[in-house]
Amino acid sequence: GEDVEQSLFLSVREGDSSVINCTYTDSSSTYLYWYKQEPGAGLQLLTYIFSNMDMKQDQRLTVLLNKKDKHLSLRIADTQTGDSAIYFCAEDGGATNKLIFGTGTLLAVQP
Amino acid sequence: DVKVTQSSRYLVKRTGEKVFLECVQDMDHENMFWYRQDPGLGLRLIYFSYDVKMKEKGDIPEGYSVSREKKERFSLILESASTNQTSMYLCASSSGPGPVLYNEQFFGPGTRLTVL
């Protein structure tokens, strides 16, 4: 089956960097995504990376992709209390119109 | 602005009741999805639809059915609710199919269903 795995919880201090890791299984995935879910809300797309890229930077966010190890990470620089949320990685399983989501990582930012 | 709405934010039902969860999108999207979200399990796909009157089973369809009579509306039905269906239910939509592979899904705010 398809499993996308993440650690369940990460705690950081305000101002530090956060790194959220994800391991996926389908090497045919074309795009990989990071979604953010704030308390009491649905998911919102945070960023994404095309599978032929190693890195993508978008302001405080850096996505790293290691296709050989099927490892995806999201780095948040200068983490703020407003970054406290659940973060989900997702793969597209090779243009199927479906997304396969990870288990989600709860990021807690301590002031 | 993209919008996916769900009929209720919170719902409490009794075991054995028939439950309808409604989802509406205003983006003229072809694809619509129903997920359930449980702690430690992430999002699991229940059913999805690529077009009106079309449906396909996801990973956990047992105990659920769906209806898509109009393009903008996708309903999830629990024929006889059970306590193990207590969960957060999320609806999503996306455009496609087509040659473009990038396929962002847009989510509603979720319905927290409690079955007593």
Side-chain angles (χ1 to χ4, degrees):
Chain A
E2 301 153 333
D3 274 327
V4 181
E5 295 185 352
Q6 302 176 236
S7 53
L8 289 181
F9 184 73
L10 176 65
S11 179
V12 299
R13 287 185 177 274
E14 194 172 16
D16 287 350
S17 292
S18 308
V19 179
I20 302 171
N21 294 303
C22 171
T23 303
Y24 63 97
T25 58
D26 195 332
S27 57
S28 67
S29 287
T30 307
Y31 284 93
L32 295 120
Y33 303 82
W34 283 104
Y35 279 80
K36 177 182 181 182
Q37 183 183 34
E38 295 185 352
L43 279 68
Q44 280 195 303
L45 182 68
L46 198 58
T47 188
Y48 64 93
I49 188 166
F50 188 50
S51 58
N52 70 351
M53 296 170 65
D54 298 323
M55 185 181 86
K56 179 180 179 182
Q57 189 144 5
D58 183 1
Q59 299 182 330
R60 292 190 297 120
L61 305 178
T62 303
V63 180
L64 295 177
L65 175 60
N66 180 331
K67 283 196 75 175
K68 175 175 167 291
D69 295 336
K70 298 194 189 77
H71 185 263
L72 182 71
S73 68
L74 174 70
R75 179 178 181 268
I76 305 172
D78 186 25
T79 312
Q80 304 297 306
T81 53
D83 295 324
S84 294
I86 302 175
Y87 291 81
F88 292 91
C89 63
E91 60 174 340
D92 66 17
T96 63
N97 281 323
K98 292 191 292 181
L99 293 180
I100 301 144
F101 286 87
T103 47
T105 299
L106 175 61
L107 175 64
V109 182
Q110 312 299 326
Chain B
D1 205 15
V2 162
K3 203 164 185 184
V4 179
T5 56
Q6 296 183 227
S7 50
S8 307
R9 292 301 303 272
Y10 300 93
L11 211 50
V12 180
K13 296 291 181 182
R14 296 203 174 274
T15 301
E17 279 193 79
K18 190 168 185 175
V19 181
F20 292 87
L21 302 182
E22 303 284 336
C23 174
V24 178
Q25 50 95 3
D26 65 0
M27 297 160 283
D28 202 34
H29 281 168
E30 286 82 5
N31 305 322
M32 296 189 75
F33 307 84
W34 274 107
Y35 297 90
R36 64 176 282 176
Q37 179 182 7
D38 300 287
L41 297 178
L43 269 67
R44 293 180 292 168
L45 183 64
I46 304 171
Y47 267 97
F48 58 102
S49 170
Y50 289 156
D51 202 350
V52 175
K53 296 193 187 294
M54 179 275 176
K55 60 186 178 186
E56 285 199 28
K57 292 180 180 178
D59 299 317
I60 51 162
E62 296 77 21
Y64 303 94
S65 62
V66 290
S67 171
R68 191 155 180 212
E69 296 297 318
K70 293 185 177 181
K71 189 176 185 180
E72 67 270 18
R73 188 179 298 268
F74 192 35
S75 303
L76 180 69
I77 304 154
L78 287 66
E79 293 289 341
S80 177
S82 63
T83 55
N84 63 12
Q85 292 179 308
T86 292
S87 187
M88 169 71 89
Y89 289 88
L90 291 164
C91 174
S93 72
S94 68
S95 62
V100 176
L101 299 178
Y102 171 70
N103 205 350
E104 177 182 358
Q105 288 189 13
F106 296 87
F107 282 82
T111 296
R112 186 165 292 282
L113 173 67
T114 302
V115 183
L116 302 175

